[in-house]
Amino acid sequence: MFLLGLLTATVLFHGSGVCSGCRSASRKHQVIGASATLPDAPPLPWKPLLSPGQLRRGLAFYGSGRRIERVAARLLAGQAITAVTLGGSVTIGAGSTRTNVTSYAPMFFQFLNFSFPHRDHQFLNKGIGATTSGIFAVCADKMLPPDSDLVVVELTYNEPADVPFTYPHRRGFEKMLRKLARLPRSPAVIVLHHYAWYHSHGDGKPAGLFYRAAEPQLSTLAQYYDMPSPSLRNALYPLMQADVPPYRVGRVHKRGEASLSGARLKVAGPRISKGYVYYDAIHPSDVGHQALAELLAGVVQTAVQNVLAEGKLTEGGEAAPSLKPVKLPPPMIPGTADVPTSLCAMQEDFKPLARAMRGFQYRAERPEKPTFVEQKWGYRGDAPGAWLELAFSTEEAPGRRGQATVFLGHLRSYRGMGKARVTCQSGCTCAPTVVNGLWKERVSLMQMLEVTVSQHPKCVLRITILDQSSSSSGGDSSSRRRGGGEHEDDVSSSSGSSGSDGSGSSASSGEGASKFQVVSLMVAHEPVVLTSYATQAADLAQAAG
């Protein structure tokens, strides 16, 4: 019954179109005014791992429920929905034994179709391993169907742990949330927080730090935009801390896995493997994935109960007026602006942009993986002097002049990586930039280099791998700087790694490291002029009645 096409595939489920688990709830709804009984929640298609109390604790923020309850109303009326998951390797299913069955995304989709079967549901997993919000901030509207009703965002671990809200990383996350919320059907967005116990360190604690910074900051953004944000940390932390089965963290499933201190982690044997939350130091096991799926199901269950209890479902099946979408507030972070995108070239669409190359090759970073996305295809060079030229248009419209912003996606890791110079070879013009593919954090993530260029129909960008001795260690670290002169970007603005300050050096990976991999390219244009805060506040007040 449950068939999930991993990553970009569209999955169709077949059913009667009626919520099989909600018939009794509907009957209770008919007499809700005469009874204090809360309607039954739609059931799970498996034995629950989390208790009702853990689900309540795990739902860090629910909010007004306007958007998610509109989705619940559609499901209760037997209508089809389009649900999408966005995220990194956890969303792909890393750590699970069967990525298309026991990871959180297919389990959540299974719950939706079990309780609300419909032959026209569309369930899509758009996870991209080793990425942050930067790529989704630019390309979300290109990647998702315009009729998306529900979008899950899982990027908490991949986002940098401790940066000010005004840094490009947090601006990128906010831009992503705004772009998702502005899709044509005003979808409900759920910000799902995965928690990596062994990488939550600081203030003298080697692991299990409760207040690792990314989650509280991303939760603040979710609260500002009235988006539910369930948290694995909140749901399980007390029992993780006590190492109580099945929520134990004292062992992992992957052999040879090391903690940040370098010490080998103990391995859970087959007889006790179901009692541990993590596959490795970062990714959840089947236990962890099931907990994430149940947290998402809990959000939908809460929404369904609210719709039934409060009488928000009209006879025609559509949401009542109080559930209709509301306008977005202005950006929370001062200076953040919505930016339209004219080009989003990633995965298969990125390959044709290469005009010429020497010493670069289109190849997979992990060819042994089963899917194109997991294999991490891109243009890779391994020696100083190797270069790659990418040809594309930076025009917002034919004949348009002014400036555009190019987001160049590249891999950043802790060993074997080098530096590259990015220049405008012909057509468009820009300040040369040196980008570092190396950092100290022991994770590999795709980063977005942000370069300001002139608009031109035939822009050619050249990426040249540098000798370590020839690349300057100083210079302006901001790739936003306009004007001439070469400068170095050692931060990879627009997105970042968890827990990294971006200050890696070649010494971290040995003398002469020079690998560099380019994986995507996007073009965005001048910020959209936003309605004033006073005007939007008045609109919101009017919408709220």
Side-chain angles (χ1 to χ4, degrees):
M1 178 180 176
F2 179 68
L3 301 173
L4 175 70
L6 193 64
L7 300 167
T8 59
T10 298
V11 185
L12 300 181
F13 292 91
H14 302 278
S16 65
V18 180
C19 171
S20 61
C22 298
R23 294 188 179 97
S24 61
S26 298
R27 287 193 293 270
K28 284 190 178 183
H29 169 56
Q30 294 172 4
V31 294
I32 194 70
S35 171
T37 304
L38 192 66
D40 292 338
L44 297 173
W46 57 78
K47 182 180 179 180
L49 176 71
L50 303 182
S51 68
Q54 287 172 314
L55 287 175
R56 289 191 293 269
R57 179 183 170 96
L59 186 49
F61 178 76
Y62 180 75
S64 72
R66 283 177 178 266
R67 292 181 185 241
I68 190 62
E69 289 171 16
R70 190 161 52 93
V71 175
R74 289 180 59 85
L75 290 170
L76 285 165
Q79 298 178 7
I81 68 165
T82 297
V84 187
T85 50
L86 296 181
S89 56
V90 174
T91 295
I92 289 178
S96 62
T97 55
R98 291 184 292 169
T99 56
N100 63 339
V101 177
T102 61
S103 62
Y104 90 80
M107 291 188 73
F108 176 54
F109 295 155
Q110 184 189 16
F111 157 75
L112 290 174
N113 197 59
F114 176 81
S115 293
F116 310 96
H118 200 291
R119 64 181 301 122
D120 294 326
H121 282 325
Q122 291 190 74
F123 300 136
L124 297 91
N125 188 338
K126 294 285 188 176
I128 303 175
T131 192
T132 58
S133 59
I135 189 169
F136 299 116
V138 182
C139 291
D141 53 343
K142 309 289 184 182
M143 296 172 62
L144 272 65
D147 61 348
S148 296
D149 297 289
L150 173 61
V151 183
V152 176
V153 175
E154 176 277 311
L155 286 166
T156 303
Y157 171 75
N158 288 17
E159 292 298 301
D162 191 10
V163 296
F165 274 107
T166 52
Y167 267 41
H169 317 78
R170 292 293 182 264
R171 292 190 192 278
F173 197 88
E174 181 173 27
K175 289 177 183 178
M176 174 191 65
L177 295 183
R178 295 181 66 83
K179 188 158 282 192
L180 292 173
R182 279 189 163 145
L183 288 172
R185 294 190 67 151
S186 299
V189 180
I190 300 176
V191 179
L192 175 64
H193 297 301
H194 172 53
Y195 176 67
W197 175 275
Y198 288 103
H199 277 247
S200 299
H201 58 95
D203 294 340
K205 194 167 185 176
L209 187 69
F210 187 82
Y211 54 88
R212 189 174 185 272
E215 181 168 334
Q217 289 182 325
L218 302 188
S219 291
T220 298
L221 281 163
Q223 291 163 18
Y224 181 79
Y225 287 104
D226 197 22
M227 297 172 176
S229 53
S231 165
L232 184 72
R233 180 200 67 183
N234 284 16
L236 299 184
Y237 189 86
L239 295 173
M240 285 180 171
Q241 196 174 37
D243 209 28
V244 173
Y247 317 107
R248 302 184 71 178
V249 297
R251 296 175 185 264
V252 297
H253 294 243
K254 184 178 180 181
R255 294 188 179 277
E257 186 71 357
S259 66
L260 288 174
S261 65
R264 295 289 183 183
L265 299 176
K266 294 180 180 180
V267 179
R271 293 184 179 179
I272 58 173
S273 61
K274 293 184 178 180
Y276 290 87
V277 176
Y278 294 98
Y279 167 74
D280 56 23
I282 298 172
H283 302 102
S285 65
D286 286 348
V287 171
H289 275 286
Q290 181 177 337
L292 290 170
E294 291 186 14
L295 287 168
L296 290 174
V299 177
V300 176
Q301 289 172 327
T302 299
V304 166
Q305 290 177 304
N306 288 347
V307 170
L308 292 173
E310 298 175 22
K312 293 179 179 178
L313 191 66
T314 65
E315 291 184 3
E318 293 295 333
S322 62
L323 297 182
K324 291 182 179 179
V326 297
K327 294 182 179 179
L328 282 179
M332 187 193 85
I333 304 171
T336 298
D338 300 311
V339 179
T341 304
S342 62
L343 175 65
C344 182
M346 55 186 297
Q347 300 171 18
E348 294 94 330
D349 295 333
F350 178 61
K351 184 179 180 181
L353 296 191
R355 185 185 75 163
M357 68 191 77
R358 186 180 70 192
F360 270 81
Q361 182 183 4
Y362 190 68
R363 59 193 294 185
E365 187 71 11
R366 295 182 176 179
E368 75 283 359
K369 294 293 183 179
T371 66
F372 185 90
V373 175
E374 290 177 282
Q375 290 166 1
K376 299 182 181 179
W377 284 85
Y379 286 101
R380 173 176 153 183
D382 294 301
W387 54 266
L388 167 71
E389 288 184 353
L390 304 172
F392 52 96
S393 171
T394 57
E395 283 187 323
E396 185 175 8
R400 187 69 60 87
R401 293 296 177 260
Q403 293 181 322
T405 302
V406 172
F407 296 91
L408 187 68
H410 66 96
L411 185 67
R412 205 167 192 197
S413 190
Y414 54 95
R415 62 182 178 184
M417 306 301 294
K419 294 182 179 181
R421 179 185 295 112
V422 179
T423 57
C424 288
Q425 186 72 7
S426 63
C428 56
T429 59
C430 62
T433 300
V434 174
V435 58
N436 196 349
L438 184 74
W439 56 20
K440 295 177 181 178
E441 195 71 9
R442 295 186 64 83
V443 291
S444 299
L445 290 174
M446 186 173 67
Q447 302 292 282
M448 305 294 288
L449 172 68
E450 185 176 336
V451 182
T452 300
V453 305
S454 62
Q455 292 195 38
H456 196 278
K458 296 181 179 180
C459 177
V460 177
L461 211 64
R462 175 178 276 207
I463 299 98
T464 306
I465 297 178
L466 299 174
D467 283 325
Q468 292 299 318
S469 58
S470 67
S471 60
S472 170
S473 61
D476 186 347
S477 63
S478 171
S479 59
R480 292 177 176 272
R481 193 182 80 173
R482 292 170 170 80
E486 182 174 300
H487 61 278
E488 179 170 352
D489 168 52
D490 198 38
V491 181
S492 287
S493 64
S494 185
S495 65
S497 162
S498 53
S500 174
D501 61 4
S503 58
S505 66
S506 61
S508 300
S509 59
E511 197 72 25
S514 55
K515 182 174 74 174
F516 199 83
Q517 185 178 27
V518 187
V519 295
S520 63
L521 186 142
M522 299 90 186
V523 179
H525 295 279
E526 293 301 318
V528 176
V529 177
L530 298 174
T531 307
S532 69
Y533 188 95
T535 302
Q536 292 203 29
D539 290 339
L540 286 170
Q542 182 178 4

